[in-house]
Amino acid sequence: MSGELSSRKAQHLRLTLEGDVGFATLTTGLDDVRVMPRALPERDLEDVDLSVQRWGRRLAAPLLISCMTGGTSQAGAVNAALAVAAQQHRVGLGLGSGRVLLEDSSAAGFAVRDLAPDALVLANLGAVQLHQYRAEDCRRLVELCQADGLVLHLNAVQEAVQPGGDTAYAGLLERIAGVCERLDVPVIVKEVGFGLSPDDVAALASAGVAGVDVAGAGGTNWAAVEGLRDPAAGGVAAAFRDWGLPTADAVAAAREALDGLAAADLVLIGSGGLRHGVDALKVLCLGADIAGIARGFLAAAAEGTDAATAAVGAVCRQLRIAAWAAGAATPADLTSALLQ
Ligand SMILES: Cc1cc2nc3c(=O)[nH]c(=O)nc-3n(C[C@H](O)[C@H](O)[C@H](O)COP(=O)(O)O)c2cc1C
């Protein structure tokens, strides 16, 4: 089983690096969001301080390298490069699904803590796996990854388009709530690129999650990935090339839902198709507390540590410049008041 999982992970890496895995016409909506430029920021660029404290770690900027991979030697090299970049620039790092690690605790590619001793590191598991794995397994996964928290991903469409995918979604919310209750680290729930609806966000808030990542549409399309991986999936997946809630809408709607629930402490992560630090600024202004990027860092990470460090550093720099040129000094200033 773990051999099959590893080969699927290897195919995911290859296809998301080389394949046509975007949306057909749907976009993130971020190009329609415009920040009001301030020609007179009235402070020095170096006086902008975007650092935040999240889940026991200091981030130099509210940025997360979203969960991608693990379980193969190539995945290990990608995670190692991202870990070095996360440590150097003090951004968060999500690991890919650790199911393979639960099946074989010697599986390669998840041991990043030595490379990123100070970074926020998050372990990852498919929420649908909670039919098989219990809270103790989640705890073991967090320990094996020496992580600061656990991300559970929801990928209903991705599972449903692939032959043999796991679509047993009944009762998942209760299982998620059980994990939140039993783990003493934060539990975050994310989509994988089709977006969380405001109703999903409200349900997850009621389940006791510490954070939600909308992972909106407009970036990587996981139906397309599965369609490329398996011709039998391709015919079904084709209809989902424009499925989902665009990232800009997902973030704004999630913020509204959380504010309506008086759940302001719950951390909102805005991701899905972000290309650079200006996109990151936009999701932060739309109401996210942290901006996340996955595939945008993948090519650099596959190239190696120097390229990954440069790519993450560029996004950090872009975000800092954008915040400054929008008149902001701290993350608290990044609100819709900065938008045109
Ligand atoms: C190669 C690759 C592997 C991924 N694997 C996972 C995973 O194991 N778990 C998960 O929660 N999300 C996974 N994702 C989804 C990303 O975390 C992210 O939600 C999604 O790709 C949308 O963001 P993006 O447009 O910035 O890529 C993966 C993404 C990529 C590109």
Side-chain angles (χ1 to χ4, degrees), residues 22-60:
F23 285 70
T25 60
L26 182 153
T27 70
T28 61
L30 291 171
D31 284 338
D32 298 325
V33 176
R34 294 197 184 276
V35 178
M36 183 62 83
R38 296 299 305 269
L40 267 176
E42 280 296 320
R43 73 174 53 80
D44 294 355
L45 174 59
E46 297 316 318
D47 289 337
V48 172
D49 178 6
L50 296 180
S51 65
V52 286
Q53 195 71 23
R54 286 285 171 222
W55 298 316
R57 301 280 178 181
R58 184 189 151 272
L59 305 181

Side-chain angles (χ1 to χ4, degrees), residues 41-315:
E42 280 296 320
R43 73 174 53 80
D44 294 355
L45 174 59
E46 297 316 318
D47 289 337
V48 172
D49 178 6
L50 296 180
S51 65
V52 286
Q53 195 71 23
R54 286 285 171 222
W55 298 316
R57 301 280 178 181
R58 184 189 151 272
L59 305 181
L63 278 173
L64 174 72
I65 302 168
S66 297
C67 300
M68 281 194 277
T69 198
T72 67
S73 55
Q74 193 199 358
V78 165
N79 278 345
L82 293 172
V84 170
Q87 173 69 15
Q88 172 142 346
H89 297 292
R90 289 296 197 284
V91 300
L93 171 64
L95 299 171
S97 171
R99 183 179 167 195
V100 61
L101 195 57
L102 286 175
E103 290 186 5
D104 171 6
S105 58
S106 67
F110 295 94
V112 296
R113 185 46 91 193
D114 286 352
L115 297 169
D118 305 301
L120 174 74
V121 173
L122 301 171
N124 182 284
L125 190 66
V128 76
Q129 308 301 326
L130 296 179
H131 288 300
Q132 178 186 352
Y133 295 115
R134 305 279 173 241
E136 308 83 76
D137 300 304
C138 294
R139 192 174 297 124
R140 191 161 65 86
L141 177 60
V142 169
E143 280 167 15
L144 285 170
C145 297
Q146 294 181 270
D148 302 298
L150 175 69
V151 178
L152 296 171
H153 66 263
L154 297 167
N155 62 338
V157 171
Q158 183 193 359
E159 292 288 344
V161 298
Q162 47 178 306
D166 199 338
T167 53
Y169 266 62
L172 262 198
L173 188 65
E174 202 179 317
R175 289 181 190 273
I176 291 170
V179 173
C180 294
E181 199 181 306
R182 288 184 195 91
L183 252 59
D184 44 19
V185 295
V187 176
I188 299 108
V189 177
K190 72 189 280 286
E191 229 286 330
V192 296
F194 292 119
L196 295 177
S197 74
D199 286 349
D200 296 325
V201 169
L204 292 166
S206 74
V209 301
V212 288
D213 180 347
V214 296
T220 308
N221 181 314
W222 279 92
V225 177
E226 297 303 337
L228 289 176
R229 207 167 66 77
D230 182 334
V236 177
F240 294 88
R241 282 311 283 260
D242 273 343
W243 183 262
L245 184 60
T247 297
D249 297 340
V251 172
R255 172 45 63 208
E256 201 180 319
L258 292 174
D259 288 351
L261 292 166
D265 286 354
L266 201 148
V267 175
L268 174 59
I269 302 172
S271 76
L274 275 59
R275 299 155 298 187
H276 42 55
V278 174
D279 279 350
L281 182 85
K282 289 178 181 179
V283 295
L284 295 168
C285 290
L286 287 168
D289 301 300
I290 297 177
I293 300 181
R295 191 157 59 102
F297 289 135
L298 184 56
E303 214 180 304
T305 301
D306 290 350
T309 304
V312 173
V315 171

